Amino acid sequence: MELWAPEEKLNYVYAFMKYDHKDIELDFWQDDFIRNRNRYISLLKSRQTGFSFVVAIKGLVKALDPARTQYTKQFVSYNEEDAQEKIRYARQFYDSIPNRYKKKLVHQTATMLEFEDVGSKTTSRLISLPCRPPRGKNGDVCLDEFAIYLPRLSKEIYTAASFCTLRRGCIEVGSTPLGTIGKFYEICTNRESYPNFDRYFIPWWYAKVMCKDVRGAVQFAKEMETAERVERFGTDRLISLFQNSTLEDFQQECECVFIDSSASYISLELIYANTPGRREEDIPANIEKDEDYFAAKRDVEIHCFKDADELILNYSPEKYGSPLFMGLDIGRTSDATVFYIIGVINGKKRSVLRHEMRNADFDAQTAVLNKLMENLPIYRCCIDDGGIGRNLAENAHKRYGERAELYHFDLQSKEILAMGVRTGLERREYELDNDRDFHAQIHSIKRTPSSGGSFRYDAERNEKGHADSFWAWALASYATDGKKINIE
């Protein structure tokens, strides 16, 4: 009995596997990826192109090959949820295969599947890990969203993964780009230092879910400008996304462009240094069991509520601080209204609530404000009183007096807020939640010269607003700095 040939692997997928009770439909690059036997593979990809989906398929096919024994594939993901996703995919694929065409599943957890090899003396496994170096099991290793890993950790993980494949196996490195730094950027751009990689370039127009004519787009889209190819080949949903995004954001997330982040006022490194769970020193390096790692990560990560009612129901002064401080950035249609609450624990400004409201009328916004002010110990709330939010802000001030302070946005006042939070980040004053969207809003703020020798601090508007959560957070931080009582 011989190992399946590349085409046999693909035939096995189409013959026996289903997803959501439907036949598997793969994009052309996914077919090629499943067939690919190269030891080193990198995938520079758009968001939502199905990378987790296809690496789970490829790993399962190799594990179920009757001629293959003692096979191991380790998936390394950014967080616990992503790690479990690979196993959920693989389990659903496995369950769809008729029993006579697959090995017996003998053990499973949320992050591992183990199959009995033909002959019953050995087993093959799929193991999904959080963002840490894979252990010394020979076999394949897949590093997912590798660009997001912290610089030192990415080097450790890559080195560990490489040695796991020393005797046999391959290393697959895939990610959407994130800045012009890090190991993933080096692999994708430095062919001299990494000469053996088979490199995939997978922009949005390679995926049927975003492109209405993949065949035509593969031939012509790369030579077009972004706006032109989106209009010609994009689905309605992709066109809508492009129209409500900055060009820079769209090119990074969907067109595999490494954007130089040096123009950002607040660096990712500074954000991560204030984010428990993203800091390299937070998780002990000697943890062996995956469940222990997940538990340790949960212990240090900050839980920031996304719903006002949930916070009110679960509020505890010991966990979230007392008093609390709130910032409110008011929007209506183009921008979101954001309520951001900070508590002070052991001298650190801890994120407690980020409640976003979109397309909500002012009565609904006022109801949330009143609920928070009247059910939580909010000592000071700073409210954006400019433009459409003036009436709401003035009414709040009449109702709550000095607890509701009006803050007018202009060039000078925004500079005070932006410089204040950056200084606080540099001093490690914050405990932020580990949320990529919120981090992106902080990182989107740019400092640009304006007339009269002053500077403008702002972000370009995208589909999620105008960095609204950033400004609400900055207002909440300002509220803590203006405290009139000792909260240490």
Side-chain angles (χ1 to χ4, degrees), residues 1 30-31 48 57 61 72 74 105 129 137 187 226 267 282 321 337 375 402 407 409 424 450 457 478:
M1 195 161 46
Q30 294 173 314
D31 286 350
Q48 303 299 314
I57 288 178
V61 169
T72 298
Q74 298 183 79
L105 179 64
L129 306 172
K137 300 177 177 67
I187 290 172
T226 297
S267 70
D282 282 333
T337 291
N375 289 278
E402 292 186 357
Y407 192 98
F409 277 168
S450 63
Y457 296 81
Y478 179 82

Side-chain angles (χ1 to χ4, degrees), residues 78 131-132 148-154 156 268-285 293 296-297 299-302 345-346 348-350 424-435 439:
Y78 166 58
C131 183
R132 65 189 183 99
I148 301 176
Y149 299 7
L150 293 168
R152 180 179 63 81
L153 190 58
S154 70
E156 291 182 7
L268 288 171
E269 289 81 2
L270 201 53
I271 296 167
Y272 294 160
N274 287 265
T275 306
R278 283 293 282 165
R279 301 180 302 213
E280 294 174 343
E281 68 270 18
D282 282 333
I283 309 298
Y293 179 92
K297 194 170 177 66
D299 286 343
V300 300
E301 284 188 338
I302 300 304
I345 303 289
N346 297 323
K348 297 286 189 179
K349 301 175 185 177
R350 178 175 296 182
L425 290 167
E426 290 170 344
R427 294 173 178 172
R428 307 297 190 264
E429 293 179 355
Y430 298 95
E431 289 184 335
L432 306 176
D433 60 316
N434 193 4
D435 184 281
H439 290 175

Side-chain angles (χ1 to χ4, degrees), residues 228-241:
E228 181 184 2
R229 58 177 164 248
V230 167
E231 181 179 358
R232 180 169 175 182
F233 296 111
T235 61
D236 290 342
R237 293 185 68 86
L238 185 91
I239 292 172
S240 177
L241 175 65

Side-chain angles (χ1 to χ4, degrees), residues 175-200:
S175 188
T176 302
L178 185 65
T180 55
I181 59 172
K183 178 65 70 175
F184 183 68
Y185 174 71
E186 294 174 10
I187 290 172
C188 290
T189 59
N190 191 338
R191 293 177 179 269
E192 291 184 2
S193 298
Y194 303 91
N196 296 322
F197 271 89
D198 190 359
R199 293 171 171 83
Y200 285 73

Side-chain angles (χ1 to χ4, degrees), residues 132-188:
R132 65 189 183 99
R135 294 187 291 268
K137 300 177 177 67
N138 291 311
D140 297 344
V141 180
C142 172
L143 308 181
D144 189 13
E145 289 299 346
F146 195 43
I148 301 176
Y149 299 7
L150 293 168
R152 180 179 63 81
L153 190 58
S154 70
K155 293 178 182 179
E156 291 182 7
I157 290 175
Y158 178 77
T159 299
S162 298
F163 279 92
C164 285
T165 67
L166 185 60
R167 293 178 60 186
R168 59 178 179 179
C170 69
I171 180 170
E172 300 158 352
V173 178
S175 188
T176 302
L178 185 65
T180 55
I181 59 172
K183 178 65 70 175
F184 183 68
Y185 174 71
E186 294 174 10
I187 290 172
C188 290

Side-chain angles (χ1 to χ4, degrees), residues 69-87:
T69 60
Q70 295 181 285
Y71 171 75
T72 298
K73 180 162 190 172
Q74 298 183 79
F75 305 99
V76 181
S77 301
Y78 166 58
N79 56 29
E80 180 178 1
E81 181 181 352
D82 287 348
Q84 293 178 356
E85 180 187 47
K86 312 292 191 305
I87 299 302

